[in-house]
Amino acid sequence: MKHPGEDQQVSSPAGFDTPLAREISDLTRRRQALASERLPQPEKTRVLTVSNQKGGVGKTTTAVNLAAALARQGARVLVIDLDPQGNASTALGVEHRAETRSVYDVIINDMPLADVVQKSPEFGALFCVPATIHLAGAEIELVSLVAREQRLRRALDLHVREMTDPYHYVFIDCPPSLGLLTINAFVAAREVLIPIQCEYYALEGLSQLLKNIELIEKHLNPDLAVSTILLTMYDSRTNLANQVAQDVRDHFPDQVLDTLIPRSVRVSEAPSYGQSVISYDLNSAGSLSYLEAAAEIARRGAPETGAQQ
Ligand SMILES: Nc1ncnc2c1ncn2[C@@H]1O[C@H](COP(=O)(O)OP(=O)(O)OP(=O)(O)O)[C@@H](O)[C@H]1O
Ligand SMILES: [Mg+2]
């Protein structure tokens, strides 16, 4: 991706033009560009499902860090952890022991969403609906329930309608599968955000995911659209990563964000401190990239198709 002033020759104060000096200068310029911009807030709540049935591609990392990035810039944001692994709950530092009221109670026991929402300790307006280990059985329990695909949608619609100041954004973190939990997420959302890891098998399985989204759109949620694709764990030193990034851009020119998320140790360390990378190390390259990706999402706004709730 090109950043403002990227083509200029950059020198360190001592007059050395080194890769490190260039990198530091580039990070500074990007930080300043972000700081000087006020992001537009959506008029209606944007609900984005972060999904890819491939495991470990950066779904949770993306949901949590985009949410934190938007909350830091003044938005009210909710993350719904819909994965029994509970990784998003961990990363946002919210309680999710077995006895904690969670998304399981909402989907299976009809508990109002407002009763399970927790405030993340990170930012004033960042909230999380935690997932506990009980969710592992929900795929099976859902099968026999009435309106089994619509349960999250109903709970979320009701919750948002009852709020005086509704969320600007809701991110739903999906498990790596295409089961009933993920279907609930697709029905509750208007937008799908697909993180794609820049590696060899990146595009494998993507057509299956897109076919499923098409089916949901046809039968259960006509407003659903793949609005955003984000390239994750990018390593610019490898030809393969560049090749994959180019392939994805060729296939999905309108959906892929300009911002690439670099592979970064700081990003992978943050969850073990119960933090997003935005609070863990605001000045890191990973943090900056998630702030830039969030800014792009805010600037682009909701897709034209699909009436927002
Ligand atoms: N940009 C990055 N740089 C370095 N490590 C990363 C980055 N993004 C994610 N990771 C690490 O890669 C692993 C997988 O990421 P993550 O948990 O976000 O993927 P996921 O798609 O949610 O996985 P799952 O399918 O199990 O839910 C984690 O250990 C995470 O810390
Ligand atoms: Mg995950």
Side-chain angles (χ1 to χ4, degrees):
M1 148 186 202
K2 289 240 166 184
H3 299 289
E6 195 171 73
D7 293 329
Q8 292 169 12
Q9 176 80 7
V10 180
S11 301
S12 68
F16 293 111
D17 179 20
T18 63
L20 183 62
R22 269 198 300 277
E23 193 181 323
I24 291 170
S25 169
D26 179 47
L27 287 175
T28 307
R29 248 195 323 264
R30 288 164 59 193
R31 216 173 285 133
Q32 284 165 350
L34 271 173
S36 65
E37 186 185 0
R38 250 191 93 74
L39 295 181
Q41 305 288 26
E43 279 175 23
K44 289 174 180 164
T45 306
R46 287 177 67 181
V47 185
L48 296 99
T49 278
V50 182
S51 183
N52 188 335
Q53 80 273 27
K54 202 181 269 296
V57 297
K59 292 182 286 296
T60 304
T61 306
T62 293
V64 163
N65 289 311
L66 287 179
L70 289 161
R72 187 175 184 275
Q73 285 154 335
R76 287 183 298 277
V77 189
L78 174 68
V79 174
I80 300 179
D81 190 348
L82 204 57
D83 185 344
Q85 299 179 98
N87 294 155
S89 313
T90 306
L92 287 171
V94 303
E95 188 69 64
H96 65 110
R97 286 174 304 171
E99 60 276 19
T100 310
R101 289 191 289 196
S102 70
V103 73
Y104 172 86
D105 298 292
V106 173
I107 289 180
I108 304 294
N109 300 327
D110 291 319
M111 193 180 274
L113 207 67
D115 291 0
V116 307
V117 172
Q118 293 185 41
K119 212 175 90 52
S120 165
E122 296 220 347
F123 297 101
L126 180 56
F127 301 88
C128 178
V129 171
T132 65
I133 192 67
H134 293 302
L135 196 60
E139 292 273 3
I140 294 165
E141 290 179 65
L142 270 169
V143 172
S144 58
L145 294 184
V146 179
R148 59 190 179 186
E149 299 98 348
Q150 328 269 350
R151 299 184 74 84
L152 183 62
R153 168 73 180 256
R154 287 183 183 179
L156 182 59
D157 280 358
L158 187 68
H159 178 48
V160 169
R161 261 204 310 275
E162 284 175 345
M163 295 178 88
T164 321
D165 294 315
Y167 306 109
H168 293 110
Y169 296 92
V170 177
F171 289 92
I172 307 174
D173 184 31
C174 285
S177 66
L178 294 172
L180 270 171
L181 285 174
T182 297
I183 291 175
N184 263 271
F186 284 150
V187 175
R190 305 294 175 283
E191 302 178 46
V192 183
L193 188 164
I194 306 177
I196 294 183
Q197 190 181 347
C198 296
E199 49 121 84
Y200 183 61
Y201 297 111
L203 294 174
E204 211 169 74
L206 202 60
S207 60
Q208 179 65 37
L209 175 62
L210 296 174
K211 226 176 274 163
N212 279 37
I213 294 169
E214 224 169 80
L215 281 173
I216 303 281
E217 190 189 342
K218 208 164 172 184
H219 299 288
L220 292 165
N221 181 7
D223 297 334
L224 192 67
V226 177
S227 66
T228 313
I229 293 177
L230 179 61
L231 296 162
T232 64
M233 295 184 236
Y234 175 73
D235 183 348
S236 61
R237 293 166 305 182
T238 71
N239 288 334
L240 180 61
N242 286 310
Q243 183 65 54
V244 170
Q246 195 51 54
D247 276 3
V248 177
R249 289 196 193 285
D250 289 346
H251 276 88
F252 307 98
D254 299 330
Q255 286 90 353
V256 184
L257 297 183
D258 290 339
T259 306
L260 295 149
I261 306 299
R263 191 175 272 287
S264 137
V265 175
R266 304 307 260 172
V267 170
S268 60
E269 280 172 353
S272 56
Y273 295 89
Q275 287 183 313
S276 68
V277 74
I278 312 294
S279 359
Y280 176 62
D281 188 354
L282 179 65
N283 290 325
S284 64
S287 184
L288 197 53
S289 299
Y290 271 114
L291 285 162
E292 287 172 334
E296 272 194 72
I297 290 171
R299 267 184 246 122
R300 287 175 170 214
E304 299 276 306
T305 56
Q308 297 287 297
Q309 52 180 323

